[in-house]
Amino acid sequence: MADPVPEPVIGIIGGSGVYDIEGLEEAEWREVRTPWGLPSGELLFGRLSGVRVVFLPRHDRGHRLSPTDLPYRANIDALKRSGCTEIISLSAVGSLRAELPPGSFVIVDQFIDRTFARQKSFFGAGCVAHVSMADPVCRRLGDALEQACRDLGLPHRRGGTYLAMEGPQFSTRAESELYRAWGCDVVGMTNMPEAKLAREAELCYATVAMVTDYDCWHPEHDHVTVELVVKVLFENAAKARALVARVVPALGERRTLCHAGCHTALENAIVTAPEKRDPSLVARLDAVAGRVLGLEARGEA
Ligand SMILES: CSC[C@H]1O[C@H](OP(=O)(O)O)[C@H](O)[C@@H]1O
Ligand SMILES: Nc1ncnc2[nH]cnc12
């Protein structure tokens, strides 16, 4: 029997400066527990134009958590457990290209992961899986975001490579130049392993990288500071809110599984023989991989 098509529920991860979503109907903040610990903070449940939305402020309200300390696995599990089928990540980034000035939005399509102090997989000893990351961003979500940017006349670019660095310190000038030489377009500290975990959890994922600064490579611009990032972010916030309000109803129209394959990413990805699987790890995978492991998720939805 074909898999049932889950109702579109749009997860939104808000980055620096985006700690709330205004105008949600039936809005309610709720704690969601996961087998990977607590997520960054409470999640905001509600509806936009009738479409279910679950919002998670990545660093928690009040920006309590640094990029290294974020509970990446709990965040993605909590969104999946809450019924989310797709995730839009809103992220502040530094620009590595002169033609991407502060205020531009980049719908990135590739990542380079230079982080090193984070848990990067739900799987491991006792249940090993290898998913494809060749195309880490859902092109269907990318299409919808691009269309919404166009409709709203927002300065945007479709496509670009996001360099994920460990932080929390900003880059040295030599690192910034290295990332430019590698062909990267923007730099941030949070989208990895977020994108990898979303893929493992069979969730569509796309990032709107909102440029706040020119990092430290540009000879004619001040190097990045938190003050600069926050100032531009507040200018970007209204645009981000309008973008979300525009894209959510469009995403709510999906009536089939994602045609880009995100919802079936775990098909044939688990290599551990059934009799060699660790039952305790398998139990923790109830929400993330329950579909392929034949488990019932202890849902929140
Ligand atoms: C406050 S500037 C650095 C901070 O901003 C970005 O976070 P997010 O992706 O959550 O918007 C960047 O990755 C750093 O974590
Ligand atoms: N220049 C930069 N480097 C890393 N993360 C950022 N977030 C915003 N600006 C950034």
Side-chain angles (χ1 to χ4, degrees):
M1 199 176 68
D3 281 323
V5 177
E7 171 197 350
V9 180
I10 319 304
I12 299 170
I13 302 183
S16 298
V18 187
Y19 308 108
D20 205 345
I21 292 273
E22 289 170 7
L24 279 194
E25 305 127 31
E26 304 165 30
E28 189 189 352
W29 288 95
R30 284 191 226 151
E31 181 182 279
V32 177
R33 292 170 181 275
T34 85
W36 317 93
L38 286 173
S40 293
E42 287 184 330
L43 283 73
L44 177 63
F45 291 72
R47 288 182 187 268
L48 266 179
S49 307
V51 179
R52 283 175 57 202
V53 167
V54 184
F55 172 74
L56 173 63
R58 185 184 277 124
H59 304 272
D60 201 6
R61 283 175 282 176
H63 208 116
R64 193 174 56 82
L65 297 167
S66 94
T68 299
D69 298 329
L70 293 180
Y72 291 95
R73 293 190 297 186
N75 286 352
I76 297 298
D77 181 297
L79 289 167
K80 175 93 184 190
R81 192 173 294 281
S82 300
C84 290
T85 49
E86 24 248 288
I87 295 179
I88 295 171
S89 142
L90 302 172
S91 281
V93 293
S95 169
L96 299 170
R97 299 285 151 208
E99 64 277 16
L100 293 173
S104 15
F105 287 8
V106 185
I107 303 161
V108 300
D109 59 0
Q110 282 295 334
F111 296 97
I112 291 182
D113 185 3
R114 291 259 302 166
T115 65
F116 50 82
R118 306 172 186 193
Q119 298 286 347
K120 298 197 183 192
S121 179
F122 290 108
F123 298 90
C127 194
V128 176
H130 303 281
V131 293
S132 168
M133 289 301 294
D135 296 300
V137 168
C138 172
R139 66 174 179 276
R140 188 180 56 82
L141 285 191
D143 288 345
L145 286 165
E146 185 182 16
Q147 186 60 50
C149 282
R150 255 200 231 122
D151 293 345
L152 295 167
L154 298 177
H156 69 282
R157 191 174 97 182
R158 177 76 185 268
T161 299
Y162 174 122
L163 187 295
M165 56 181 285
E166 185 59 48
Q169 301 84 0
F170 292 115
S171 312
T172 64
R173 200 164 283 117
E175 286 166 334
S176 203
E177 289 295 1
L178 178 67
Y179 306 153
R180 279 164 49 73
W182 282 352
C184 300
D185 300 289
V186 294
V187 56
M189 303 179 192
T190 60
N191 279 207
M192 282 293 180
E194 204 172 81
K196 288 177 173 168
L197 294 166
R199 175 58 48 83
E200 287 188 346
E202 300 192 319
L203 295 169
C204 305
Y205 183 89
T207 289
V208 182
M210 304 187 291
V211 175
T212 52
D213 54 84
Y214 273 115
D215 202 38
C216 61
W217 63 272
H218 200 303
E220 286 146 35
H221 286 269
D222 290 340
H223 63 72
V224 57
T225 61
V226 166
E227 193 185 5
L228 183 62
V229 169
V230 169
K231 178 176 169 290
V232 181
L233 261 183
F234 286 126
E235 292 164 10
N236 281 345
K239 292 190 273 181
R241 266 197 293 278
L243 182 60
V244 166
R246 185 90 189 181
V247 82
V248 164
L251 295 177
E253 286 170 13
R254 179 178 55 73
R255 293 290 174 269
T256 58
L257 290 178
C258 173
H259 58 65
C262 310
H263 294 151
T264 48
L266 282 176
E267 216 69 58
N268 305 318
I270 297 178
V271 287
T272 307
E275 68 278 11
K276 295 287 183 185
R277 291 180 189 164
D278 171 359
S280 65
L281 175 55
V282 168
R284 295 171 92 193
L285 292 165
D286 63 335
V288 163
R291 188 186 73 82
V292 285
L293 292 170
L295 307 169
E296 282 282 311
R298 288 162 285 131
E300 272 284 323

